[in-house]
Amino acid sequence: MLRNIDINTMNRLMEENEDAKKIITQLLKNYHASVSMIAHEIRNPLTLVSSSLQVMEVQHPEVKDFSSWKQTMDDVQFMCGLLNDLTDYNNGHSLHYSVFQIERLIRNVAVSFALSLDAENSEIEFSSQIIPGMGDFTGDKIKLEQVMLNLLKNAKEAISGNGTIFLKAERINDDIVIECRDNGCGIREDIIDKIFEPFFSQKENGTGLGLSVARQIVTAHGGTISASSSQESGTVFTITLPV
């Protein structure tokens, strides 16, 4: 798995040496192809195993009383989720461009998230401030939506019981700035620099790839994503995207 330091070093080499650029470009193509092939080969039999277990549970409900049944089902679902996240991580740099109104996209994300909280009868109070006049944006609409929903989901999971989540978006000069703020448990100072690293997670059954994927997508758009946090006041994630 490539780390930030690896990617930064490769980018520097490609800028300095044309031959190195050709070699590294081919190596990266082979690397991404290998990850995709491995994920595909594992996903197929794992999907069959998951389907078979679900059929067994329907046909023989008594298996749910077996001491290891729930753990087995949870483990299979975790592996399926891990493969999906790994595929997202592997493809995070690849964008499908279109021109769209980013203001409308962010509003749709906010509405979708609010509806999900209502459906769960959540005690979390969600509000948003999406300032008009952002104009058209060129980027990958689906992947940017994925990033924002991921941040909102993380904010929700950081809150136990009552709490607040606030989403703000505005255009500042030639940048779209999006903030996701929560008053949840916060992120410890000694780990906040690690949260964007692949496979780093403080969540039970977390894959540790969600924020890594988010950073890949934002970086591929030429933008930045950062986090500031306090265990007293909560966490703020800030995305900056050049227009």
Side-chain angles (χ1 to χ4, degrees), residues 13 46 64 108 111 113 117 119 161 170 174 197 201 203 223:
L13 286 172
L46 188 61
K64 290 188 287 186
N108 289 342
V111 170
F113 182 69
L117 291 178
E170 62 183 327
D174 292 329
E197 294 180 4
S201 178
K203 301 177 186 177

Side-chain angles (χ1 to χ4, degrees), residues 2 24 37 44 50 53-54 61 86 95 111 120 153 158 182 192 229 237:
L2 294 175
I24 292 172
M37 182 183 68
N44 285 342
S50 178
L53 289 173
Q54 291 176 41
L86 183 60
L95 304 180
V111 170
E120 297 171 5
K153 175 176 174 287
D182 69 71
I192 195 165
S229 187
F237 280 92

